[in-house]
Amino acid sequence: MTGSALPRLLRPRALGAGDLVVIASLSGPLPDAYEPNVERTVAAFERMGFRVRRAPLLEAGRRHWWSAATPAEIAGELNALLRDPEVRAIVASDGGQTALGYLDLIDVEAVRADPKPILGYSDISLLHLVLHARTGLVGFHADMAVPGFGGAWQCAPAARRAELEGLYSRLLTGTGAIGALPAGPSWECWRPGRAEGPLIGGVINRIVLAQATPFALPLERFDGAVLFWEEMGGHASYVWSYLQVMRHSGILDRIAGMVVGVPREIGGLEPGACPTLREIVLDVLGERDIPVLGNVDFGHAGPNLPMPVGIRAGLDARRRTLSLLEPAVR
């Protein structure tokens, strides 16, 4: 695929008051214990002014192996939501290990005809990357129902919850740029510098997996991009290996900057361990002189700052700022 053949950025229509948001099982099942998390998610979106509905597969205790249903069933439900003009946004209930099974079953023409925000991270990173590659859709790497809105948000101070609720509401309804995302005390400058470019990324292992499919992002999509990534589980050596894959594929030679999320439950990164995540990143980057902002609060480590895939962002690592320079919706 040549640069001229890359699809244009496809922004969903902005949501309005009373629009319908559907919570759907796009990957893993809903254990009985997490039913209250879904109910809290419904309440959060209702406070933002939206109507909320649950998709049929979002049923506590329903499962097929490690998934909420078979890949074909999940794809069928997702496609129905994509085709339904009443549905204006789709929120994943959780991540998991299923999206790879139905990437080839998604109705991409329905996405092109009526683009909608799909919110989620973890396994949902695959949907964002593949749909962005195939249609140009802006993917909302953002919180989900169980671990996010209904989980991590509940543990955050009230002021932080209110800040996030306002941020998500503006992201989904506003046609102006968000500007600077609220910085947290964990943010670190790992390599100084400034960059502007489209946000491309997700969970690092899903980035690598997506690039191994026929639906991979063309390398041109990484030209001048701000690559963001995070990881949960596994070992520090795995992260080093994933970064090496991106080095070999040429991705690291094309990006303009990097934003790294707070790691979670990664063996070998315990306090005082060597190497640190910063050392791993800089080791693989080598002489590539690009800004790197580390320990940014998106992904598995807690309440997510939204990272809209494809939207132009401004990064100033020395000042520890990350800004969304254009709207995610139209």
Side-chain angles (χ1 to χ4, degrees), residues 101-296:
Y102 64 86
L103 295 179
D104 54 337
L105 303 178
I106 300 172
D107 186 349
V108 293
E109 291 307 320
V111 173
R112 294 188 181 104
D114 185 13
K116 304 170 184 184
I118 299 174
L119 280 69
Y121 63 99
S122 195
D123 197 35
I124 312 307
S125 296
L126 281 166
L127 298 186
H128 299 325
L129 292 166
V130 167
L131 291 178
H132 186 65
R134 300 185 72 183
T135 70
L137 181 69
V138 173
F140 289 68
H141 186 280
D143 264 318
M144 302 181 284
V146 170
F149 301 110
W153 279 38
Q154 309 309 311
C155 301
R160 178 62 168 168
R161 290 200 305 272
E163 181 180 52
L164 288 168
E165 208 165 279
L167 176 61
Y168 273 71
S169 179
R170 284 190 293 137
L171 185 78
L172 293 169
T173 66
T175 54
I178 291 290
L181 293 172
S186 66
W187 295 24
E188 297 175 347
C189 174
W190 289 356
R191 179 171 283 168
R194 300 174 63 184
E196 285 189 13
L199 282 170
I200 301 291
V203 179
I204 191 169
N205 68 72
R206 293 308 194 263
I207 299 172
V208 171
L209 286 172
Q211 293 305 106
T213 74
F215 315 115
L217 280 164
L219 283 178
E220 292 92 337
R221 274 294 188 205
F222 293 94
D223 287 342
V226 175
L227 176 70
F228 72 92
W229 61 268
E230 55 103 5
E231 180 65 311
M232 173 184 173
H235 194 271
S237 61
Y238 300 175
V239 175
W240 181 86
S241 297
Y242 298 141
L243 288 168
Q244 293 289 359
V245 171
M246 290 197 278
R247 179 180 70 84
H248 288 304
S249 68
I251 290 173
L252 298 186
D253 292 322
R254 292 173 177 263
I255 61 174
M258 182 183 288
V259 182
V260 182
V262 179
R264 182 177 175 186
E265 298 175 13
I266 297 177
L269 291 183
E270 298 81 9
C274 181
T276 64
L277 186 57
R278 175 182 180 274
E279 289 171 329
I280 289 169
V281 169
L282 297 183
D283 175 71
V284 180
L285 282 178
E287 298 302 315
R288 296 169 182 82
D289 189 17
I290 61 170
V292 183
L293 183 63
N295 281 333
V296 177

Side-chain angles (χ1 to χ4, degrees), residues 20-26 30 34-46 51-59 77-78 81 87-94 117 119 143-147 149-150:
L20 178 62
V21 174
V22 175
I23 306 171
S25 293
L26 301 182
L30 174 64
Y34 291 116
E35 173 64 30
N37 296 43
V38 177
E39 295 170 0
R40 288 191 286 262
T41 301
V42 171
F45 277 90
E46 287 179 343
R51 290 182 295 128
V52 186
R53 190 176 78 203
R54 295 169 59 141
L57 292 180
L58 184 58
E59 180 183 346
E77 183 160 279
L78 173 59
L81 297 174
V87 176
R88 300 317 316 152
I90 302 166
V91 178
S93 63
D94 206 342
L119 280 69
D143 264 318
M144 302 181 284
V146 170
F149 301 110

